[in-house]
Structure formats: C-alpha cells, structure tokens
C-alpha cells in the first residue's frame, strides 16, 4: 500500500510518502543507510562521496544529481529514522516502521516546501521495493 499524507514528525509537520513492503525491516533499513547504494534506488542521485559507508549522525559528503554535486550532512540518525540537510536546506527524512518480522513501511518525510518532490519519492519507493524483493528472493 502506497500512501501520501500530512503527519506530525519530530521535525514538525511533513508530507509523508510511504509504502508497505513484504520484507524484513532490517533489510529495508540497511538499504536506506548504505550510502553506496543510494544511486540504486534514488531517481536523482547518480553518485555519492560520503565520510561513512553507513549513515550516522554527522555523516557528511556530497551527492551527484543531474548537473551538480551538492553537499549534505546527516543531522540525526536513531530508531530507524535519519534526516539530512542538502546544500544546507532541510531535506527528506527517511524512516522504516516495523509491521512484523517480514513486513515494514518505508517512509520519506518531506518538508512542506518540498511537496513537489513527492513523485520522486514515490518512484524511489518503487525501486526500493523491487531491489529488496529481489534480494529477499535470492538466497
């Protein structure tokens, strides 16, 4: 189930793009925090240069989007949720909600000013589902 809705988050009111997946929550989380894998699921990111292979609070670096490299900093990472700033602007939060041992919800939290980015997030959720289902099916 894919959903777009406004919600309250630790960072205030956000537009939440989410999708329920039939995969273990830990698998989804590992995909989201592995900076080397961002280009696999992000429709905009084609390259990453980061201080850490796994996201943690304080991870910095740059992401390549069409036409530019933009600096980023992970501002928080706890309880299967991480947030960041890209080019010093508050950007999408990322979260995995556990729904069972083999079921989770992957969530992107967009600031209200980023509502136009929702279609990109929905495409990323489709890619994440495809990647994870292939990985779970492959022993």
């Amino acid at each position: 189930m894919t959903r777009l809705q406004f919600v309250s988050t630790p960072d205030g009111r956000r537009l939440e793009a989410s999708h329920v997946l039939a995969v273990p929550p830990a698998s989804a989380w590992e995909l989201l925090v592995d900076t080397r894998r961002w280009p696999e699921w992000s429709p905009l990111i084609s390259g990453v240069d980061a201080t850490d292979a796994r996201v943690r609070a304080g991870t910095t670096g740059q992401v390549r989007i069409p036409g530019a490299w933009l600096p980023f900093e992970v501002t928080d990472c706890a309880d299967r949720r991480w947030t960041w700033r890209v080019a010093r602007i508050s950007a999408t939060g990322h979260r995995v909600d556990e729904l069972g041992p083999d079921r989770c919800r992957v969530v992107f939290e967009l600031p209200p000013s980023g509502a136009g980015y929702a279609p990109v997030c929905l495409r990323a959720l489709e890619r994440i589902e495809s990647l994870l289902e292939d990985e779970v099916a492959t022993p």
Side-chain angles (χ1 to χ4, degrees):
M1 169 198 301
T2 303
R3 174 182 269 171
L4 278 174
Q5 63 183 357
F6 280 98
V7 299
S8 291
T9 73
D11 296 318
R13 190 162 171 79
R14 298 287 187 262
L15 177 61
E16 189 177 87
S18 66
H19 188 66
V20 174
L21 305 175
V23 299
S27 297
W29 180 246
E30 288 305 314
L31 181 63
L32 289 180
V33 299
D34 187 340
T35 60
R36 299 163 299 185
R37 297 197 65 193
W38 291 352
E40 292 179 50
W41 55 263
S42 172
L44 292 181
I45 296 174
S46 60
V48 179
D49 180 18
T51 56
D52 301 289
R54 281 180 48 86
V55 167
R56 62 176 183 79
T59 296
T60 60
Q62 56 185 349
V63 289
R64 181 164 181 73
I65 62 166
W69 281 93
L70 299 176
F72 74 85
E73 178 184 4
V74 175
T75 54
D76 189 39
C77 183
D79 302 322
R80 288 198 178 144
R81 179 178 183 267
W82 65 271
T83 57
W84 65 340
R85 295 176 61 78
V86 178
R88 299 186 197 176
I89 298 169
S90 179
T92 307
H94 304 75
R95 191 176 84 232
V96 175
D97 299 333
E98 184 172 341
L99 303 176
D102 293 314
R103 189 170 146 93
C104 66
R105 179 182 300 110
V106 176
V107 181
F108 294 122
E109 303 168 357
L110 293 91
S113 62
Y117 191 62
V120 175
C121 291
L122 294 173
R123 180 68 182 122
L125 290 167
E126 290 174 356
R127 288 182 173 187
I128 288 167
E129 178 177 43
S130 179
L131 284 166
L132 289 173
E133 286 182 346
D134 287 350
E135 289 175 13
V136 170
T138 306

